[in-house]
C-alpha cells in the first residue's frame, strides 16, 4: 500500500534526511531510491521551495507537529520542476521529541494551472471593470454636458414664444403659443431629470438649498398652475394645511410635485381629478398626490422608483422613465421618504419629511 499509493510518500528522520520513499514519488521524479534515501528532503526542492521549507515549514512542524496543504516544487532527475501540494505530520515520543516526519505529496500541475488561470481571469475582469467604469463615467459626463447645453436653445425658444405672444391676436395664435410654452416646460423637466440622474450616478447626488423662511404654498401654487396650463380639461384639486415652517429646498420640492402630478395626469383616469394635499403635523411635512384609475400591477410596484422604468404605457405618454426615480432621490435628500399605495379606488404617492 505504501509503495503503490496514488500519492507520493516520504518518511524523514529527525534530522530531515529521507529514510523511506515510495515508488509513486520515485516514478514521478525519476530519481532512484538510492539517490534519495539518506539525502536531505530539501535537497530535492527548487531554490524557492528549499528556502520556504527550511525557514517556514520545518520550524512550524517542530512547533505544532503538522502542516497541511503547502505548495512546493520538487526537482526531477531531468531538472524539471514538479509542482506538488504536500501535508506533513511529525511522529513524536512520549516526551514530545520528534522521531520522524511523514510527508504525503500529490501532483498539483493541473491545480496550479487552474489557480493561475483564476488569478489571470480575476486580473482581466478587474481591468475590464475599470474600463467599463471609465466608459460609464464618460457616458454620464456626456449626458450631463448635453443636458446642460440643451438649456440654451430651449431658453431661446421660450423667450421667442413670449415675444410672439405680445403680438398674438387670434385664438389660433394663442393656442399655438400656449402649446409652445407647454412643450418648453415639459422639455425643461426632462432635462432637469437627466441632469439629476447623471449627477447622482457620478456621485454628486441631489444638491439642496434649504430655506425654512419662504412659504411652501407659493411654490405649490406655481407648479400646479403650470400643470393645469399644460393639461387643459383636467381637474387638479388642492388642499393645504401648512401652519409651520418647512425647512426644504423649494425648487426641488416643486420638481418632486411636478413629477408626481405629471405622473398622475399621464396614468390616472381622465374623468377623475388629481388630488394634491400638503399638511404639517406631528413635526412632519406630508404631501400626497392621488388619482383614480387602474391600480399599478404588483410586479411594477417593486420597480416603480428605479431609473428608466416606465411599465406599460401608451406611446403618447412615454418619457424617459426618470420622474419617479428623481422624486424618490429628492425625498431621500430631504431625509424623508416617498411611498406608494395602489388599489382599485385610487393610487396615492406620499412624501414625508421632518420639518427641520
Amino acid at each position: 500500500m505504501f509503495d503503490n499509493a496514488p500519492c507520493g510518500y516520504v518518511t524523514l528522520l529527525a534530522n530531515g534526511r529521507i529514510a523511506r520513499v515510495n515508488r509513486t514519488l520515485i516514478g514521478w521524479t525519476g530519481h532512484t531510491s538510492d539517490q534519495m534515501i539518506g539525502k536531505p528532503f530539501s535537497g530535492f526542492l527548487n531554490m524557492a521551495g528549499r528556502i520556504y521549507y527550511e525557514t517556514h515549514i520545518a520550524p512550524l512542524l517542530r512547533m505544532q507537529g503538522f502542516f497541511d496543504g503547502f505548495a512546493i516544487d520538487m526537482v526531477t532527475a531531468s531538472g524539471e520542476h514538479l509542482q506538488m501540494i504536500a501535508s506533513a505530520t511529525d511522529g513524536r515520543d512520549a516526551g514530545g521529541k520528534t522521531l520522524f516526519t511523514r510527508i504525503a505529496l500529490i501532483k498539483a500541475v493541473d491545480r496550479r494551472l487552474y489557480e493561475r488561470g483564476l488569478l489571470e481571469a480575476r486580473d482581466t475582469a478587474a481591468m475590464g471593470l475599470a474600463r467599463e467604469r471609465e466608459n460609464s463615467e464618460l457616458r454620464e459626463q456626456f449626458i450631463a454636458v448635453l443636458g446642460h447645453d440643451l438649456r440654451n436653445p430651449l431658453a431661446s425658444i421660450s423667450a421667442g414664444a413670449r415675444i410672439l405672444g405680445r403680438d398674438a391676436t387670434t385664438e389660433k395664435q394663442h393656442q399655438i403659443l400656449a402649446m409652445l410654452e407647454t412643450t418648453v416646460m415639459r422639455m425643461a423637466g426632462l432635462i432637469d431629470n437627466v441632469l439629476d440622474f447623471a449627477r447622482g450616478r457620478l456621485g454628486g447626488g441631489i444638491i439642496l438649498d434649504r430655506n425654512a423662511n419662504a412659504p411652501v404654498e407659493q411654490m405649490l401654487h406655481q407648479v400646479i398652475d403650470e400643470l393645469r396650463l399644460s393639461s387643459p380639461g383636467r381637474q387638479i384639486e388642492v388642499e393645504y394645511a401648512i401652519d409651520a415652517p418647512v425647512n426644504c429646498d423649494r425648487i426641488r420640492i416643486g420638481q418632486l410635485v411636478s413629477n408626481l402630478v405629471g405622473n398622475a395626469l399621464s396614468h390616472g383616469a381622465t374623468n377623475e381629478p388629481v388630488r394634491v394635499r400638503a399638511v404639517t403635523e406631528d413635526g412632519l411635512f406630508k404631501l400626497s398626490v392621488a388619482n383614480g384609475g387602474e391600480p399599478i400591477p404588483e410586479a411594477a410596484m417593486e420597480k416603480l422608483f428605479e431609473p428608466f422604468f416606465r411599465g406599460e404605457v401608451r406611446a403618447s405618454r412615454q418619457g424617459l422613465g426618470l420622474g419617479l426615480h428623481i422624486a424618490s432621490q429628492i425625498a431621500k435628500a430631504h431625509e424623508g421618504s416617498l411611498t406608494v399605495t395602489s388599489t382599485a379606488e385610487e393610487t396615492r404617492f406620499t412624501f414625508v419629511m421632518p420639518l427641520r
Side-chain angles (χ1 to χ4, degrees):
M1 182 179 294
F2 177 83
D3 277 331
N4 298 313
C7 61
Y9 276 124
V10 177
T11 301
L12 309 182
L13 299 174
N15 60 8
R17 293 181 179 272
I18 298 174
R20 191 180 179 192
V21 58
N22 75 341
R23 290 177 184 173
T24 303
L25 188 59
I26 289 173
W28 287 348
T29 63
H31 297 294
T32 66
S33 178
D34 292 339
Q35 289 174 332
M36 299 187 73
I37 292 177
K39 305 291 178 53
F41 174 71
S42 60
F44 294 94
L45 306 179
N46 67 344
M47 182 59 68
R50 187 180 307 168
I51 295 172
Y52 179 63
Y53 180 83
E54 292 180 347
T55 62
H56 190 71
I57 303 301
L60 280 175
L61 272 172
R62 297 299 173 264
M63 290 175 59
Q64 62 187 23
F66 67 92
F67 200 106
D68 293 330
F70 58 93
I72 56 172
D73 286 4
M74 295 193 71
V75 180
T76 67
S78 62
E80 297 178 355
H81 291 186
L82 185 61
Q83 296 173 343
M84 299 280 198
I85 298 294
S87 293
T89 303
D90 272 353
R92 301 185 177 187
D93 61 17
K97 180 180 179 182
T98 299
L99 300 176
F100 57 85
T101 300
R102 296 190 184 96
I103 302 178
L105 304 103
I106 59 173
K107 283 185 179 180
V109 176
D110 292 340
R111 174 173 170 175
R112 299 282 285 278
L113 287 174
Y114 175 71
E115 291 174 348
R116 189 177 295 115
L118 286 178
L119 291 174
E120 292 175 354
R122 184 192 65 183
D123 293 341
T124 301
M127 292 176 60
L129 180 60
R131 285 195 297 268
E132 181 58 31
R133 285 175 176 170
E134 181 179 355
N135 292 337
S136 178
E137 185 171 337
L138 287 173
R139 285 194 298 269
E140 289 163 354
Q141 287 176 345
F142 171 76
I143 291 173
V145 171
L146 179 63
H148 183 271
D149 289 347
L150 283 174
R151 290 183 182 278
N152 291 333
L154 194 64
S156 298
I157 294 173
S158 180
R162 285 196 299 271
I163 293 173
L164 290 174
R166 298 170 186 170
D167 300 325
T169 56
T170 67
E171 181 65 24
K172 185 174 182 180
Q173 289 174 336
H174 283 293
Q175 289 177 351
I176 293 174
L177 289 171
M179 182 184 66
L180 281 175
E181 287 291 347
T182 300
T183 302
V184 167
M185 184 172 64
R186 181 172 178 271
M187 189 65 186
L190 290 174
I191 292 173
D192 287 339
N193 287 340
V194 169
L195 288 173
D196 287 335
F197 177 70
R199 187 180 297 112
R201 292 293 299 274
L202 290 171
I206 298 292
I207 300 174
L208 300 182
D209 182 15
R210 303 178 78 146
N211 182 1
N213 298 321
V216 178
E217 294 94 323
Q218 181 179 351
M219 173 273 299
L220 294 175
H221 279 305
Q222 180 180 350
V223 171
I224 298 302
D225 288 344
E226 290 175 353
L227 290 167
R228 283 171 173 155
L229 177 64
S230 65
S231 299
R234 295 298 300 275
Q235 185 179 0
I236 303 176
E237 298 178 352
V238 296
E239 177 187 351
Y240 303 142
I242 302 172
D243 55 10
V246 181
N247 185 23
C248 68
D249 185 322
R250 272 139 187 78
I251 293 177
R252 290 297 188 184
I253 297 299
Q255 186 181 359
L256 179 146
V257 173
S258 178
N259 286 345
L260 294 182
V261 176
N263 184 73
L265 292 170
S266 295
H267 300 284
T270 57
N271 61 343
E272 295 186 37
V274 173
R275 299 176 296 280
V276 181
R277 183 173 185 268
V279 300
T280 54
E281 59 183 16
D282 301 327
L284 299 173
F285 173 64
K286 300 179 180 179
L287 185 146
S288 65
V289 177
N291 62 268
E294 296 182 4
I296 302 171
E298 191 66 29
M301 292 282 280
E302 299 177 359
K303 300 181 179 180
L304 208 55
F305 297 113
E306 293 183 6
F308 304 118
F309 180 76
R310 296 177 298 188
E312 296 181 1
V313 295
R314 293 199 292 267
S316 62
R317 295 179 177 178
Q318 288 182 356
L320 294 175
L322 287 175
L324 292 179
H325 172 71
I326 297 301
S328 68
Q329 296 303 305
I330 293 173
K332 290 180 181 178
H334 282 86
E335 301 174 359
S337 63
L338 179 62
T339 57
V340 59
T341 58
S342 188
T343 65
E345 288 72 32
E346 71 167 15
T347 294
R348 179 179 296 270
F349 287 84
T350 305
F351 164 59
V352 178
M353 62 162 282
L355 289 176
R356 299 185 181 276

